[in-house]
Amino acid sequence: MTVLKKNLLTFPSFALLVSLALTLGLPKAHANTCHGLFAVAKIEVGPGEALSEKEIKLAKKIQREAGVFFRQNLRLPPDDAASQLAQVMDGDLTVVSPISIRDIVKNQPQSAEVARNKVINTFVTLAKKFGRTPTESELSQELRLEPKELRALLGPEALFSNYEGLMASATQKKPRAFEKVIDTTLFNSQRNELLIKAVQDRQKLIVTTAVADTPVDKGFFETLIRAAREMDAEILVFPANMQTTGLDPILINTPGVHIITNSIQLTPWLNINRIKITAKQINPLMGLDRYGPRGQSQIVGSPKIALRTVATMENDINPHFLITTGAVTKPIYNSDRYIKERTNEIAADDHMLGALILEKSQGSTRPSLPGNPGFEGFFHFRHIQYKEEAKGFTDRNKFYSVNGVQDAKILALSFGDTHVGVADPEVVRSLRPAIVELDPDRIALHDLFNGHSVNHHDRRNLINGARNFKNGSLDLEQELRSVVTFLNSLLSINSKVELRIVDANHNSWLHRWLNEGQFMFEPHNRTLGLELANVMVKGEDPLLYALKKFGLESPKRVIMMKPGASWKEAGIEMAVHGHAGANGAKGSHPSFVRAADGMIYGHSHTYQRSNMTVNVGTGSVKRQGYNADGPSNHSQVIAAVSAHGEIQAFVLRDGEWWAQEPVRPGDKFFAHDYPIVKPNNDPSVGQQVDQYWGR
């Protein structure tokens, strides 16, 4: 404490007084103004001394003024050394020394509380604005303080013990404001570096979602941990709606588990997107079709398993998928509001214990993706579903549980629409290794017969007809023999596999051609047409008859499904093609979601999924006459059904359904500068608050 007693203040000049102040250890004074000599005055006395009534009033006045200034500006008043010294020289003050923030906190509690609330409210505002806790520099800038002035508010006997104490006070005062705010002291740069290292080093990533204030499903989580070790993978967890507050602590404290708080562009064509999606949103992909660059697939966090392929102009190079993950937390949705009980029930029913596996690959047929020679690798993706009754999940031909890995049983495969004659040769070549590895008991075939030789859509197209006649495309026998060759090839892969030809609209083109007697106007097809018409009159299926006629091997292992038939594998409906919908209407994905507890269907040539309803796409060439122009969402997909009723779909990419060989250490996989982390709401680009913010 600096003491200036009355009997010392008889110096003939102000300059000498300044000299005395320096001698006594007071703050260094600036020339002429004495700015900085005293911050704010407070009065103290030595032992045995007492303040006069005048001195007490003046002291209280100075303290009040300091408190008012502090709560308005969050800093001490500007120096007023000259006036304070004048009061000392006039005999008004016995002792003068600086007032500190500690003194205001101690002696001006109301002013201190106002200042404390101002800092907290600004902190909350920035946190809601950014979706994360603000940094010290961001907070000081918003408060219009220098960083050192903000730090002066922190510490023992200050407004807050430290910056973490400030955050704790803000969270305690306004807990609901922080439900969807990322805590950057917990999810910091060190965690981010570990995440990027996992992305770069591991062969696979397992991506799932966790709902806040809900415990993880212990069996699923432990199985994921075990599977990650077996797969050379690490686990990435989306907080649903980006709400990290209330996440099960086991997710934060388990090594090899990473919480996603920023978007991660894995490649130019695949983005793990932190966009906020509420856990109870019925259609988690709604409105996302326009989101992101075309051809850059988006993975978002949701407790549902959903996928949609967006129609784009360059679909055949880089398909644009929208993908959710499923959840690792239990299906518990509670709310104290009566109106939300309905949505709680729906959300719990839609909740899927599952995840998305991302697998690095460098392809099998090309050294790099078309259109981008510098891009060395890509990620295959496929969903997994945890089956509580089996205490594990199936991936390809393996079943993972807490106890280890064993061979899985695949009951059936469903191919996308085959369309023999316009089937993609790359798809056809890839079917054999898939059948060998998955070893299904049965295979569903959609639109096996393309029907180009009897196509009623082209009947009046004279020019195309002339061309097709010349190249043999209008020869029914030739087309049927091609179908037989394809079937015999599949039958030869596995001596026990059964092929089931699903009733489909292209297969029925042959029925229509016969019913309309069109064969009578086609001399090149007339004889065969008469024979098949006679077969049809007898009630036999003309397509199956023709396949046997032209050399089908093991015909007992080829089953022709009749219209309206049902065929289920572990509860999954397999006999619906997709052209016929409810009550005679055309088929649609929403109608099939409502029609069965689980279904795999074809027809629309695209890949889409809503939990247990899967559209498997096509095996044909993506671009054909009817969709040669304009955007397309055609996808080449097959799907497998396990003995436990799981559905796992595989997308053909660069000649393979999954990575045939792992990416070895030293292989160049990522494109230049990838992966890229996109921080949440970078404040350097400015922020805009929408009209509903804060309501």
Side-chain angles (χ1 to χ4, degrees):
M1 178 182 71
T2 300
V3 178
L4 296 179
K5 295 189 176 181
K6 290 179 181 179
N7 60 359
L8 294 177
L9 299 177
T10 57
F11 294 99
S13 70
F14 190 76
L16 289 175
L17 180 60
V18 173
S19 297
L20 176 62
L22 293 174
T23 302
L24 294 173
L26 292 174
K28 183 177 180 180
H30 296 283
N32 300 325
T33 64
C34 285
H35 181 80
L37 179 58
F38 300 105
V40 178
K42 72 175 180 179
I43 297 181
E44 298 182 10
V45 296
E49 298 183 17
L51 293 176
S52 68
E53 185 177 345
K54 181 179 179 181
E55 289 172 332
I56 292 173
K57 288 182 179 180
L58 182 59
K60 290 182 178 180
K61 178 176 181 295
I62 292 173
Q63 290 176 345
R64 284 196 303 272
E65 290 175 350
V68 170
F69 187 92
F70 179 75
R71 71 190 188 192
Q72 291 175 343
N73 301 280
L74 301 177
R75 62 171 71 88
L76 296 173
D79 297 350
D80 192 14
S83 63
Q84 294 170 26
L85 288 173
Q87 295 176 58
V88 172
M89 294 174 68
D90 290 339
D92 293 333
L93 297 180
T94 302
V95 180
V96 180
S97 66
I99 279 183
S100 68
I101 292 177
R102 178 185 64 181
D103 297 319
I104 293 178
V105 172
K106 180 180 179 181
N107 300 316
Q108 298 286 316
Q110 185 176 2
S111 292
E113 185 64 17
V114 171
R116 188 178 291 110
N117 287 335
K118 184 174 182 178
V119 175
I120 288 175
N121 291 337
T122 303
F123 187 93
V124 171
T125 298
L126 288 179
K128 292 169 71 175
K129 182 178 181 180
F130 295 157
R132 58 173 170 77
T133 51
T135 64
E136 288 189 41
S137 61
E138 291 166 347
L139 182 60
S140 62
Q141 183 178 3
E142 188 71 14
L143 291 170
R144 299 183 180 180
L145 298 175
E146 294 294 328
K148 64 180 180 180
E149 293 175 325
L150 176 62
R151 286 192 289 273
L153 305 179
L154 311 174
E157 300 182 311
L159 292 185
F160 307 96
S161 58
N162 49 37
Y163 199 72
E164 289 72 22
L166 164 59
M167 292 198 305
S169 297
T171 305
Q172 183 177 6
K173 184 171 183 180
K174 298 188 177 182
R176 296 193 65 179
F178 288 88
E179 289 180 350
K180 301 176 179 65
V181 169
I182 306 299
D183 183 353
T184 53
T185 62
L186 178 61
F187 305 103
N188 50 30
S189 58
Q190 289 80 8
R191 279 184 176 265
N192 192 60
E193 289 170 3
L194 291 174
L195 170 58
I196 294 304
K197 182 172 174 53
V199 170
Q200 292 173 331
D201 295 348
R202 298 299 184 186
Q203 173 67 19
K204 297 184 181 73
L205 302 171
I206 302 174
V207 190
T208 187
T209 296
V211 180
D213 301 316
T214 307
V216 301
D217 185 287
K218 185 177 179 181
F220 185 27
F221 183 71
E222 292 178 351
T223 301
L224 283 180
I225 296 296
R226 178 62 184 265
R229 293 199 301 267
E230 300 285 347
M231 294 180 176
D232 185 26
E234 293 205 16
I235 301 168
L236 279 60
V237 181
F238 277 107
N241 205 21
M242 281 295 116
Q243 182 176 338
T244 57
T245 305
L247 285 180
D248 192 322
I250 196 172
L251 297 171
I252 299 172
N253 299 324
T254 302
V257 178
H258 308 269
I259 308 300
I260 299 169
T261 56
N262 298 304
S263 294
I264 309 169
Q265 290 187 10
L266 298 175
T267 73
W269 320 117
L270 185 62
N271 184 32
I272 296 177
N273 196 318
R274 65 163 307 282
I275 190 170
K276 293 183 177 181
I277 297 175
T278 61
K280 297 200 294 184
Q281 185 164 329
I282 293 177
N283 180 1
L285 300 179
M286 180 178 292
L288 298 185
D289 295 62
R290 74 193 80 175
Y291 194 76
R294 301 299 84 184
Q296 186 187 78
S297 295
Q298 306 290 323
I299 301 171
V300 298
S302 170
K304 303 172 179 62
I305 293 180
L307 185 144
R308 185 163 66 247
T309 311
V310 180
T312 61
M313 296 303 297
E314 296 185 348
N315 175 68
D316 50 336
I317 297 176
N318 289 301
H320 188 106
F321 298 106
L322 303 175
I323 315 165
T324 68
T325 61
V328 69
T329 47
K330 289 179 175 293
I332 301 173
Y333 296 86
N334 293 319
S335 174
D336 55 0
R337 297 185 181 182
Y338 174 79
I339 194 67
K340 291 188 176 181
E341 291 182 0
R342 175 180 178 274
T343 57
N344 290 341
E345 293 287 343
I346 294 173
D349 190 61
D350 285 345
H351 188 100
M352 293 284 288
L353 290 174
L356 183 74
I357 292 179
L358 301 177
E359 180 181 36
K360 292 178 180 175
S361 178
Q362 293 180 315
S364 64
T365 62
R366 291 187 291 273
S368 62
L369 288 183
N372 192 347
F375 183 35
E376 298 296 334
F378 60 92
F379 283 89
H380 284 292
F381 64 84
R382 54 187 179 268
H383 286 103
I384 56 171
Q385 300 166 239
Y386 181 72
K387 305 299 288 187
E388 292 189 84
E389 62 275 15
K391 300 186 184 306
F393 63 81
T394 300
D395 179 45
R396 287 165 52 183
N397 62 349
K398 299 296 181 183
F399 184 78
Y400 295 85
S401 69
V402 174
N403 299 322
V405 186
Q406 62 189 49
D407 291 339
K409 177 59 181 173
I410 302 300
L411 298 179
L413 288 181
S414 180
F415 293 170
D417 294 8
T418 307
H419 294 289
V420 173
V422 293
D424 189 329
E426 198 168 84
V427 173
V428 175
R429 283 194 298 269
S430 67
L431 292 178
R432 179 176 289 272
I435 294 172
V436 169
E437 177 165 327
L438 299 177
D439 191 26
D441 293 336
R442 288 163 289 279
I443 298 175
L445 299 172
H446 292 267
D447 274 342
L448 171 69
F449 176 74
N450 184 55
H452 48 264
S453 62
V454 295
N455 186 356
H456 54 279
H457 295 296
D458 266 356
R459 195 167 295 166
R460 295 182 180 277
N461 196 329
L462 300 180
I463 303 302
N464 277 355
R467 291 171 180 166
N468 291 336
F469 182 82
K470 188 174 182 179
N471 64 29
S473 297
L474 298 183
D475 188 327
L476 176 59
E477 180 176 337
Q478 181 177 317
E479 181 176 5
L480 290 168
R481 288 186 180 277
S482 297
V483 175
V484 170
T485 299
F486 175 79
L487 291 175
N488 287 343
S489 176
L490 294 182
L491 291 167
S492 69
I493 297 172
N494 184 318
S495 61
K496 296 181 292 184
V497 70
E498 181 181 279
L499 306 180
R500 297 196 174 187
I501 303 173
V502 176
D503 179 64
N505 58 308
H506 273 252
N507 296 348
S508 67
W509 286 6
L510 179 60
H511 294 211
R512 177 171 179 168
W513 183 76
L514 293 171
N515 265 320
E516 294 178 351
Q518 186 61 31
F519 55 89
M520 296 301 297
F521 304 100
E522 300 175 8
H524 56 290
N525 287 328
R526 186 177 299 152
T527 300
L528 179 58
L530 285 168
E531 183 178 356
L532 295 180
N534 187 51
V535 167
M536 192 172 175
V537 169
K538 294 178 180 179
E540 298 182 48
D541 189 287
L543 179 56
L544 182 60
Y545 173 89
L547 297 178
K548 294 177 180 178
K549 173 182 174 67
F550 294 119
L552 178 65
E553 299 172 359
S554 303
K556 291 184 179 180
R557 291 198 284 138
V558 178
I559 307 298
M560 185 71 69
M561 304 298 295
K562 295 182 178 180
S566 177
W567 157 36
K568 291 184 178 180
E569 297 284 355
I572 308 301
E573 180 60 64
M574 305 282 290
V576 173
H577 173 59
H579 62 300
N583 302 316
K586 291 183 178 180
S588 69
H589 188 72
S591 70
F592 296 135
V593 170
R594 295 189 294 267
D597 294 327
M599 179 187 294
I600 301 175
Y601 71 99
H603 183 60
S604 61
H605 289 204
T606 190
Y607 179 22
Q608 53 186 329
R609 177 168 187 166
S610 299
N611 282 349
M612 298 301 291
T613 304
V614 178
N615 186 186
V616 287
T618 185
S620 64
V621 175
K622 291 183 180 180
R623 292 286 186 174
Q624 299 183 41
Y626 64 89
N627 72 332
D629 295 331
S632 170
N633 62 1
H634 285 196
S635 309
Q636 295 168 331
V637 182
I638 61 175
V641 178
S642 75
H644 304 297
E646 304 150 87
I647 301 176
Q648 191 170 44
F650 309 93
V651 181
L652 188 71
R653 195 72 195 276
D654 212 17
E656 57 185 20
W657 303 104
W658 46 79
Q660 296 180 1
E661 295 182 3
V663 175
R664 298 176 296 274
D667 287 345
K668 187 179 186 320
F669 176 80
F670 288 102
H672 182 63
D673 291 335
Y674 285 84
I676 299 172
V677 175
K678 293 287 188 180
N680 171 30
N681 290 343
D682 185 351
S684 65
V685 299
Q687 301 295 323
Q688 181 175 345
V689 178
D690 66 35
Q691 67 269 34
Y692 300 107
W693 183 83
R695 293 186 180 180

